[in-house]
Amino acid sequence: MQNMMQSQSSMAWKGFHASIAAPQHQNIVKYTKVERNGNMEMLRNGYLFTEIFKKQMEHMEKYPDAKIISLGIGDTTPPMPRLVTTAMQEYSNALSTIEGYRGYGLEQGNMPLRKAIAGNIYKNMGFNESEVFISDGAQGDIARIQLMFGSNISIAVQDPTFQAYVDTSMIMGQTRKQAVEYMRCSPEKSFFPELAGVPRTDVIFFCSPNNPTGHAASRRQLEDLVSFATNNGSIIVYDTAYSFFISDDSPKSIFEIPGSKQVAIEISSFSKFAGFTGVRLGWTVIPKELRYSNGYQVIKDFDRIMCTCFNGASSIAQAGGLACLTPEGLQGIRGVMDVYKENARSLVETFSSIGLKVYGGVNSPYAWVHFPGCKSWDVFNEILEKTHVLTIPGCEFGPSGEGFIRVSSFGKRDQILEACKRLKRLFA
Amino acid sequence: MQNMMQSQSSMAWKGFHASIAAPQHQNIVKYTKVERNGNMEMLRNGYLFTEIFKKQMEHMEKYPDAKIISLGIGDTTPPMPRLVTTAMQEYSNALSTIEGYRGYGLEQGNMPLRKAIAGNIYKNMGFNESEVFISDGAQGDIARIQLMFGSNISIAVQDPTFQAYVDTSMIMGQTRKQAVEYMRCSPEKSFFPELAGVPRTDVIFFCSPNNPTGHAASRRQLEDLVSFATNNGSIIVYDTAYSFFISDDSPKSIFEIPGSKQVAIEISSFSKFAGFTGVRLGWTVIPKELRYSNGYQVIKDFDRIMCTCFNGASSIAQAGGLACLTPEGLQGIRGVMDVYKENARSLVETFSSIGLKVYGGVNSPYAWVHFPGCKSWDVFNEILEKTHVLTIPGCEFGPSGEGFIRVSSFGKRDQILEACKRLKRLFA
């Protein structure tokens, strides 16, 4: 969920960087005696999207007249349902009145929204609203969950997957004790790891529908995952940021699987589902049944983290989120979702017609395209050079992503169709 | 900035707690094998405001007809200037249009707001907008700064002060290596530590105007602080969440002090200044001159943290923040500030008329009242019992707070006047 635009300021640092450490300057530049955090040093320099943005800039310089189309960043584009924005407008307006003004809310989120999530999204799963924590989005919650677990745990991730799990693991210093376990998820194995060969870790991050492959884990796969975690005494951190795209009968929540409450946390977001990428709203569910080895409830530590390191999601965003979960709101969102799905179908059809294997795009806004024998960055470069279309090189999501690109269906309809036309022409 | 209301859910845990660890249940309750983070164990159980809330509940049960007035939590009450809420309404409305919809913004904040902060609040201090990071409030930034520094640093804090600095230090595991250094700030020493006796630490958290004492550090004091940090090679994390309350010529920013850019970070917030406690908006300034011992720029690591562990403040809140910094917005905010200041004057006058020493209340929304020879909790209990007025026991902000209570001027005018009347009657 990093933004391509972040790179604007990252690039501005070049200037600062150039002024470091030239020996003749060391007398004027005063350093503190505070040691840089070694965990930060371990992170790769630069973000994926900084690199993509640099490529885009270079490309625009080379072809100033080119009409670039981005199938890169997973950013939402269709407008939000009016019902949702009206709720936020009304909430904002009330803040300027004596009766309507509200200050601090609960750090864990406003009760009506927590109730609506427990009652709508986790219907009949027996959750109390106190097990739902409202946040400013999944990315913040991933970091807060890592902060809660601390530096002594070991983690496993899917390969390929969203890299924030690995980056936050490094920032916490977890990787100093034990390397991240990459669980290979290949198309040949239905994008599911061969669990028999995966060593035990304390925590398993699992994203479904997966970013970038677009694969939604089946019920059978998730039963295997829960049973694996149960046998190992591991905790699954299940990321369902894309679950609203699921069209078939794949589970939309890990909590559809019996026994999961004793081994899983679920993270989710309004970002992709309701276009809240800029408004910022998400949630995390921690079942009261989930306990550490000493019997202490995980939910109690997460509550402490939310109160100490966070102070509640924006009250206006929460008013919008509540409107999303009304029957009218959900209907409006389905309309938005249909646009993305149509886009995804066009992209899948395009690459299939070229004779390439395409995965995802059905239960996910992302399609995952295989170019056997090719390097992801070469494919990325060739498509950009010849069609002015931006994609994301699959190798950046983990070693098993090599040879793939990720294309996103978040985009305006006409732009997507134009991109499809150019791609067909390129590979014709 | 924790909320009294958080305790509602904390109290709900009682039920969960009761079901743990009864030996006969251990066969049914399945524990994971994940060890609880030892740092979390070190935190005190329960928050200050949970305790206060419990007291309030007990009091309400005992006196169901009592009209309780809270001078406790620092929550804002007057409505926001209409200009600000209109900006947020317009931004929300635009999200439902094709032209107006915006998705992800920069993780570091939208450029116009960063520019407005650099240009208005740090006018003539030579900051570039890239040195300003927009956040969802100071509390989140304190945690992210700690995450950036990691677990190997040592910290010092004022005594008394806001406890989030200490709590996040414990969560990061810093206190396993070295205890937090409490720098005593007594009224006799103008609420400033005797630095000659303070051992070097990597980081010094300094809150001015201070929560809870209400004291704004003088220029001379801050020059001493910057010089102390410079000599020790320490980094000051300067929290100015209440700087807009400064009425005299005390510096509003650490960056008014020469040499500070090489030793300081500044955190601030729209919460108290513009009533954004629920809307959530703050910022942190990291000068590009600030460097670790190896010469690496601190700003680069903070940027990485903001992009990896945060995904930008709500775009709607940012639109409101931008409106606050227009000339009309600032005028509207001054009107709100005047209400608090009048309240503070009434509170200070009340306690003074009783013959008590009162500090703060001039450059701060908080007054800090000394009851020599008394215990803070006894004073708290007596005032609550006899006047139905809630305060905050000073001892909860550090050992030097014993014998004091903190009273907040955030409240409706008529309620504050009623509280003053009751207090005068009690101590007459």
Side-chain angles (χ1 to χ4, degrees):
Chain A
M1 303 184 199
Q2 286 163 349
N3 190 319
M4 182 180 291
M5 295 180 71
Q6 75 202 3
S7 51
Q8 292 181 326
S9 71
S10 300
M11 288 179 73
W13 289 344
K14 263 196 178 165
F16 310 167
H17 204 64
S19 69
I20 296 185
Q24 68 275 28
H25 282 215
Q26 283 190 348
N27 293 331
I28 350 175
V29 177
K30 175 103 184 151
Y31 300 164
T32 65
K33 291 182 187 144
V34 179
E35 270 185 45
R36 184 178 177 210
N37 181 357
N39 300 335
M40 294 300 299
E41 262 172 61
M42 290 167 66
L43 290 168
R44 287 179 306 175
N45 278 328
Y47 323 103
L48 168 56
F49 294 118
T50 308
E51 297 307 306
I52 304 280
F53 186 72
K54 274 188 199 162
K55 293 272 180 191
Q56 183 178 356
M57 291 294 109
E58 287 164 20
H59 191 75
M60 284 167 71
E61 225 164 88
K62 196 167 163 192
Y63 303 101
D65 298 327
K67 293 211 169 96
I68 295 181
I69 299 175
S70 175
L71 305 179
I73 304 297
D75 199 3
T76 49
T77 44
M80 293 166 82
R82 184 158 292 276
L83 175 92
V84 176
T85 58
T86 300
M88 298 197 289
Q89 276 180 269
E90 283 171 2
Y91 194 95
S92 302
N93 180 49
L95 292 173
S96 67
T97 67
I98 292 178
E99 325 72 53
Y101 181 81
R102 295 283 177 277
Y104 286 126
L106 285 169
E107 287 88 344
Q108 304 91 340
N110 296 331
M111 277 302 179
L113 181 56
R114 298 168 78 185
K115 268 188 194 162
I117 290 174
N120 278 279
I121 297 174
Y122 299 95
K123 204 174 161 180
N124 301 327
M125 295 188 200
F127 283 107
N128 183 279
E129 58 265 26
S130 63
E131 294 166 281
V132 178
F133 294 81
I134 308 300
S135 76
D136 60 342
Q139 193 149 329
D141 271 351
I142 292 167
R144 284 183 286 266
I145 285 169
Q146 292 280 33
L147 197 56
M148 171 181 77
F149 283 137
S151 56
N152 286 323
I153 63 154
S154 55
I155 73 160
V157 298
Q158 290 153 291
D159 173 22
T161 200
F162 181 44
Q163 288 300 295
Y165 316 128
V166 176
D167 283 354
T168 53
S169 179
M170 284 185 172
I171 290 173
M172 285 307 299
Q174 292 164 0
T175 51
R176 287 172 177 268
K177 309 227 158 84
Q178 195 174 323
V180 170
E181 186 62 40
Y182 283 87
M183 307 183 294
R184 185 166 151 76
C185 298
S186 65
E188 300 77 40
K189 303 282 179 185
S190 304
F191 290 106
F192 194 73
E194 292 198 80
L195 293 173
V198 174
R200 179 195 178 275
T201 57
D202 290 311
V203 172
I204 302 165
F205 283 93
F206 202 95
C207 177
S208 178
N210 180 264
N211 173 11
T213 68
H215 177 76
S218 69
R219 188 169 304 271
R220 177 63 194 276
Q221 288 177 334
L222 292 182
E223 283 165 359
D224 287 350
L225 182 68
V226 166
S227 141
F228 179 72
T230 305
N231 293 337
N232 282 341
S234 304
I235 294 176
I236 301 164
V237 178
Y238 196 74
D239 185 341
T240 63
Y242 300 95
S243 66
F244 295 90
F245 290 88
I246 292 178
S247 311
D248 62 18
D249 62 352
S250 307
K252 292 188 175 163
S253 164
I254 189 72
F255 298 121
E256 294 183 33
I257 308 302
S260 57
K261 282 188 175 181
Q262 294 177 341
V263 294
I265 286 170
E266 185 160 297
I267 301 175
S268 201
S269 171
F270 284 84
S271 285
K272 309 297 161 92
F273 145 59
F276 273 55
T277 47
V279 175
R280 312 300 313 138
L281 196 67
W283 72 86
T284 284
V285 177
I286 312 225
K288 58 185 183 306
E289 288 85 350
L290 184 69
R291 292 166 191 274
Y292 291 113
S293 57
N294 67 355
Y296 196 83
Q297 289 173 295
V298 175
I299 190 173
K300 293 174 82 175
D301 274 349
F302 192 67
D303 186 81
R304 188 68 159 102
I305 289 284
M306 289 299 269
C307 293
T308 309
C309 305
F310 183 66
N311 214 335
S314 176
S315 51
I316 303 171
Q318 293 192 61
L322 193 57
C324 288
L325 297 175
T326 59
E328 303 77 18
L330 288 168
Q331 200 181 340
I333 284 163
R334 269 190 288 271
V336 174
M337 204 74 45
D338 286 345
V339 177
Y340 299 141
K341 289 201 171 164
E342 206 182 343
N343 287 348
R345 270 194 298 276
S346 304
L347 289 166
V348 169
E349 188 275 323
T350 296
F351 288 105
S352 301
S353 75
I354 297 163
L356 292 166
K357 284 255 193 214
V358 193
Y359 305 93
V362 177
N363 290 327
S364 155
Y366 300 126
W368 183 241
V369 193
H370 197 194
F371 292 80
C374 299
K375 293 275 179 194
S376 297
W377 274 108
D378 292 343
V379 176
F380 168 91
N381 283 324
E382 190 181 345
I383 291 178
L384 179 59
E385 183 67 26
K386 300 203 176 141
T387 69
H388 310 306
V389 170
L390 274 169
T391 59
I392 304 283
C395 59
E396 297 293 325
F397 294 94
S400 299
E402 187 58 278
F404 289 82
I405 58 164
R406 189 195 83 177
V407 290
S408 156
S409 71
F410 296 114
K412 292 186 175 139
R413 183 73 191 143
D414 56 337
Q415 295 274 291
I416 297 282
L417 290 178
E418 170 63 21
C420 290
K421 214 196 298 177
R422 294 187 198 169
L423 288 164
K424 276 190 186 168
R425 212 181 300 137
L426 170 65
F427 292 105
Chain B
M1 304 183 197
Q2 287 164 350
N3 189 318
M4 181 179 291
M5 293 180 72
Q6 76 201 4
S7 51
Q8 293 182 324
S9 71
S10 302
M11 289 181 73
W13 309 127
K14 264 194 174 166
F16 309 167
H17 204 65
S19 69
I20 298 186
Q24 68 274 28
H25 283 215
Q26 284 190 346
N27 292 331
I28 351 176
V29 178
K30 176 103 182 152
Y31 300 164
T32 65
K33 289 180 188 146
V34 179
E35 270 186 46
R36 185 180 177 207
N37 180 356
N39 300 335
M40 295 299 299
E41 263 172 59
M42 290 167 66
L43 290 167
R44 287 178 307 177
N45 278 327
Y47 324 103
L48 167 57
F49 296 119
T50 309
E51 297 307 306
I52 305 282
F53 186 74
K54 273 188 199 162
K55 293 273 180 188
Q56 184 179 357
M57 290 293 110
E58 286 165 20
H59 191 77
M60 284 167 71
E61 223 164 89
K62 197 167 160 193
Y63 302 102
D65 298 327
K67 294 212 168 94
I68 294 180
I69 299 175
S70 175
L71 306 178
I73 303 299
D75 198 2
T76 49
T77 43
M80 293 167 82
R82 185 159 292 277
L83 175 91
V84 175
T85 57
T86 301
M88 298 196 290
Q89 275 179 270
E90 284 171 1
Y91 194 95
S92 302
N93 180 48
L95 291 173
S96 67
T97 66
I98 292 178
E99 324 74 53
Y101 181 79
R102 296 284 177 277
Y104 285 127
L106 285 170
E107 287 89 343
Q108 303 91 340
N110 296 332
M111 277 302 179
L113 180 56
R114 297 168 79 185
K115 268 188 194 163
I117 291 174
N120 278 279
I121 296 174
Y122 299 95
K123 204 174 162 178
N124 302 327
M125 294 189 201
F127 282 107
N128 184 278
E129 59 264 27
S130 64
E131 294 167 282
V132 178
F133 295 80
I134 309 300
S135 76
D136 60 341
Q139 194 149 330
D141 272 350
I142 292 166
R144 284 183 286 265
I145 285 169
Q146 293 279 32
L147 197 55
M148 172 182 76
F149 284 136
S151 56
N152 287 324
I153 63 153
S154 54
I155 73 160
V157 298
Q158 291 154 291
D159 172 22
T161 200
F162 181 45
Q163 288 300 294
Y165 316 129
V166 176
D167 283 355
T168 53
S169 179
M170 284 185 172
I171 290 173
M172 285 307 298
Q174 293 164 358
T175 51
R176 286 171 178 270
K177 309 226 158 86
Q178 194 173 326
V180 170
E181 187 62 40
Y182 282 88
M183 307 183 295
R184 185 167 151 75
C185 299
S186 65
E188 301 76 39
K189 304 281 179 187
S190 301
F191 290 105
F192 194 73
E194 292 198 79
L195 293 174
V198 174
R200 178 193 179 276
T201 57
D202 291 310
V203 173
I204 302 166
F205 284 92
F206 202 95
C207 177
S208 178
N210 179 265
N211 173 12
T213 69
H215 177 76
S218 68
R219 189 168 304 271
R220 177 64 194 276
Q221 289 178 335
L222 292 183
E223 282 165 0
D224 287 351
L225 182 67
V226 166
S227 141
F228 179 72
T230 305
N231 293 337
N232 282 342
S234 304
I235 294 176
I236 300 164
V237 178
Y238 196 74
D239 185 341
T240 63
Y242 301 95
S243 66
F244 296 90
F245 290 88
I246 292 180
S247 311
D248 62 18
D249 61 353
S250 309
K252 291 187 176 165
S253 164
I254 189 74
F255 298 121
E256 294 183 33
I257 309 302
S260 57
K261 282 188 176 182
Q262 293 178 340
V263 295
I265 287 170
E266 185 159 298
I267 302 174
S268 201
S269 170
F270 285 84
S271 285
K272 309 297 161 93
F273 145 60
F276 274 55
T277 47
V279 174
R280 310 302 311 139
L281 196 67
W283 71 87
T284 284
V285 177
I286 311 225
K288 58 186 185 306
E289 288 86 351
L290 185 68
R291 292 167 190 274
Y292 291 114
S293 57
N294 66 354
Y296 195 83
Q297 290 174 295
V298 175
I299 191 174
K300 293 173 81 175
D301 274 349
F302 193 66
D303 186 82
R304 188 69 158 101
I305 289 283
M306 288 301 269
C307 293
T308 310
C309 305
F310 183 65
N311 214 334
S314 176
S315 50
I316 302 171
Q318 293 192 62
L322 192 57
C324 288
L325 297 176
T326 59
E328 304 76 19
L330 289 167
Q331 200 182 340
I333 283 163
R334 270 191 287 271
V336 173
M337 203 73 47
D338 287 345
V339 176
Y340 298 143
K341 288 202 172 163
E342 206 183 344
N343 287 348
R345 271 194 297 276
S346 304
L347 289 166
V348 168
E349 188 274 324
T350 297
F351 287 105
S352 301
S353 76
I354 295 162
L356 293 166
K357 285 255 193 217
V358 194
Y359 305 93
V362 176
N363 290 327
S364 155
Y366 299 127
W368 183 241
V369 192
H370 196 194
F371 292 80
C374 298
K375 293 275 179 194
S376 298
W377 274 108
D378 292 344
V379 176
F380 168 91
N381 282 325
E382 191 181 344
I383 292 178
L384 179 59
E385 182 68 26
K386 299 200 176 145
T387 70
H388 311 306
V389 170
L390 274 169
T391 59
I392 304 282
C395 59
E396 297 293 325
F397 295 94
S400 299
E402 187 60 278
F404 290 82
I405 59 163
R406 188 194 84 175
V407 290
S408 155
S409 71
F410 295 113
K412 293 188 175 137
R413 183 74 191 142
D414 57 337
Q415 295 273 291
I416 298 282
L417 291 177
E418 170 64 20
C420 291
K421 212 193 304 178
R422 293 187 199 169
L423 288 162
K424 277 190 186 169
R425 210 181 302 138
L426 170 64
F427 293 103

